[in-house]
Amino acid sequence: MIAQTLTEAEARQLNPVTLAFVGDAVYSLYVRTRLLRSSQGSAADYQRAASKIVSAEGQSAFLAALEPTFTETETEIYKRGRNAKKATKSKNASAAAYNRSTGLEAVLGYLYLTGQNERLTELMDKADEQLFQAQKVATPYKPTH
């Protein structure tokens, strides 16, 4: 999906918050796609469900399933992202959850930018099915003719 990947050395040189910036988009797109495939609903229904999952608290729950499976490199990237100084603070999450979510996003951004799509898919597929089942979209979309 990415036109030109970075080497692992190049990606490691990036600020972890920059990696998290990309990882946030990767995670958000994954969640939206997964919701779309798992049920039917309106755009507003999808947005409400996605917002709960991609929130810092939602990402923190997802991280609990992923962290034990991280490689040594992923753990290092995660810790750099978690501990990085951020320009903004979360309005709706604890500082700890916000820091953990930044670490997760840094890992996802790193994997995406280095073209490690197979590993990225492997991690994303570990998302607990209950995470998505709990966010079932309320009303099926019925097109008007």
Side-chain angles (χ1 to χ4, degrees):
M1 189 158 143
I2 186 171
Q4 185 176 358
T5 60
L6 301 176
T7 66
E8 290 189 32
E10 289 171 327
R12 284 174 181 257
Q13 293 300 311
L14 293 173
N15 182 311
V17 177
T18 302
L19 292 173
F21 170 74
V22 173
D24 177 62
V26 170
Y27 187 65
S28 181
L29 182 59
Y30 171 81
V31 166
R32 289 168 186 240
T33 303
R34 180 115 180 225
L35 284 169
L36 182 72
R37 289 183 177 170
S38 68
S39 60
Q40 295 181 341
S42 69
D45 292 332
Y46 289 129
Q47 180 59 38
R48 272 190 299 279
S51 292
K52 291 177 185 173
I53 296 170
V54 301
S55 70
E57 297 293 341
Q59 287 183 24
S60 194
F62 181 51
L63 175 64
L66 290 187
E67 195 173 4
T69 69
F70 280 171
T71 65
E72 188 176 317
T73 298
E74 291 163 356
T75 298
E76 181 224 329
I77 298 292
Y78 166 73
K79 288 178 179 178
R80 284 181 54 218
R82 181 193 64 197
N83 297 335
K85 182 158 175 59
K86 296 144 193 90
T88 60
K89 303 256 187 261
S90 174
K91 296 177 209 114
N92 300 313
S94 69
Y98 186 63
N99 290 339
R100 285 190 303 270
S101 69
T102 302
L104 171 62
E105 291 168 349
V107 171
L108 300 178
Y110 173 82
L111 293 172
Y112 177 78
L113 290 172
T114 56
Q116 297 183 54
N117 296 328
E118 190 173 306
R119 177 61 175 156
L120 185 58
T121 300
E122 181 184 330
L123 288 176
M124 297 305 272
D125 285 347
K126 289 184 188 298
D128 185 359
E129 201 55 45
Q130 292 176 356
L131 181 66
F132 289 92
Q133 293 302 321
Q135 301 303 325
K136 277 287 188 193
V137 176
T139 53
Y141 173 70
K142 294 180 183 169
T144 57
H145 298 282

